[in-house]
Amino acid sequence: MLSSPDALNAADDGLPMPRRLLAIAALSFGTSLVIIDGSIATVALPTIARDLHVERSAVVSIVTIYQLVFVMLLLPMAGLGERLGLKRLYQSGQLVFAVATLLCFFAKSLPLLLVVRAVQALGAAAALSVSSALIRSVYPARQLGRGLGINTIFVTSSAALAPSLGGLILSIAPWPWVFMSAVPFAILSLFLGRALPAPEPRIEPFDLIGAVLCAAMFGLIIGGIEAGVHGTSLPAAAASVIVGIVVGLFFVRRERGEPKPILPVDLLATPILALSATGAFTAFIASMTLLLSTPFRLQLVYGFTPAQVGIAIAAWPLTNMIVAPTAGWLSDRIAAGLLGGIGMAVSIVGLMLMAFLPEHAGVADVTWRMALCGSGFGIFLSPNARLVIGSAPRHRAAAAGGLVSTVRLVGQTAGATLVATLLALGVGTGRVPAFVAAGFALIAGLCSVARLRPSVSGASGFEAMIEPVQPS
C-alpha cells in the first residue's frame, strides 16, 4: 500500500538548516560526477583508439560497458541500500568510483580499461540508486518537487558541460585525465556527505537471487540490442534478447511473491505509479529519438557545421535548466498529471515544428524549436519524478528512486536503438524521427492526464492531497 496523506504529513520535515544545504551540495556533486562520467568519454574515443592501437568500432565498448553495467545494477543496488542504509551505500559508491577512476592511469590495454569502467559503473550505480531517496529525506515533504527540480539542474548542466569539458582536457592533457575530471566532484561529495541523513538500516535478508536475475534480464536484453545495432551477429544478438525476455518473465513472476522485490512490482501494481513509469519511459524515448537524429538531419540535409549543430541543440538542455526546477516547484502545489499533460502538449507542438522545418532553415530556426521541445519535457519530467518518489512508502523510497533512474536509462537506450533502426532504413535524416518522437510524447501525455482520474489518483491519495502551500 502506498503512503497516505496522513503518513506523508507525519514524515519528518527534512534536515535542519544549515545541514540541509551541505547535504544538498553533497548530492548535487554526486549527481554531477555520474552524469559527467557517463558522457565525457565519448569525445575521447578516437584518441584512446589511437593510443591503445585498437579499432574504432571496438573502443565504443568503453561507453557501452559503462551504460550496461550501470542499468544492470541500479535496481539491485537500490534494494541493497534499503538494507545497508542509504548514506552508507551512497558514500561507498562514491569511494569505489573515485578509486576506479584513479586506476584509469594504469589501464594500458582496452580489456583492462573496460574492467575499470565496469567498476566505475558499479560505484556510480550504488550512488545514483539511492540519491532520490536521500533527496526525499533531506527536503521537507512540501519541498520535494523543488529539491528534485534543483537536482535536475545539475543533471542537465552536467550533460551539457561534459563534451566541452572533455574536449578542453584533451587539448592540454592525455586521455586518462578525461576520466579524472569527475574525481573532484567525488571528493567533495564524500566530504560533504557527512551531513547526509543516516536512517537505520533494516536487518533483512538481501534477495541475491532476485538481484542476479534482474541484472541478467537487463544485461541480456540491452546487451543483445546493443550488439545487434553495432553489427554483431544478428542471430546471436536476437538469441540474447530472447533469453533475456525469458529470464525477465521468470523474474517478474518470482518478484510478485517477494515482500521487498528488487524489481518494484509492488509499486508498479498501483495505477498511478504504473502510468508515471510508462509516461517517463515513452518521454525518454521521444527525447532521445529527436536529440540523436537531429545532428544527422542538420548536417546532411541542411548543411550545418558541427559547431552550428552544437549551438542549436544546446538550447534543449539550457532551457531545461530553467524550466525543470520551476516545474518541480510548481509540482509541490499543482497536480503532476496536469503539469505533465501541459508539458507533453508543448513538446508535441515543438516536435511537429521540428518535423516541418523550413527548407532553408538557419540556426535560429532550429534553436527556438529545440528550446520549445526542451521546455515541454522539463515541465513533464520533474513533476513526474516527484510523484513517483513522493507516492512510495518511505521504506520503499530507494526502490522508487531506482525505478526512476532505470526507466530513464532504458528509455534512452530504446530511443538510441530506434534512431539506429531509422537510419538503417534510410528514414532517419528526414521528418520521420520527429513524427515518431511526437507519437511517443503523445503516449506520455495521455499517461499523465490519466492520473487525474479519481479512480487512479485515489489509489494513493497523492494527487488529491496537493494544495497550495505558503512558500517557506
Side-chain angles (χ1 to χ4, degrees), residues 277-297:
T278 303
F281 178 66
T282 54
F284 281 117
I285 293 177
S287 62
M288 187 59 66
T289 298
L290 187 72
L291 287 171
L292 289 185
S293 63
T294 297
F296 292 97
R297 185 183 184 190

Side-chain angles (χ1 to χ4, degrees), residues 9 14 65 89 102 147 173 222 234 288 290 304 364 372 386 425 448:
N9 291 333
I65 190 69
L89 186 66
L102 292 174
I222 296 178
L234 189 58
M288 187 59 66
L290 187 72
F304 280 31
L372 187 63
R386 189 246 195 266
L425 294 174
S448 186

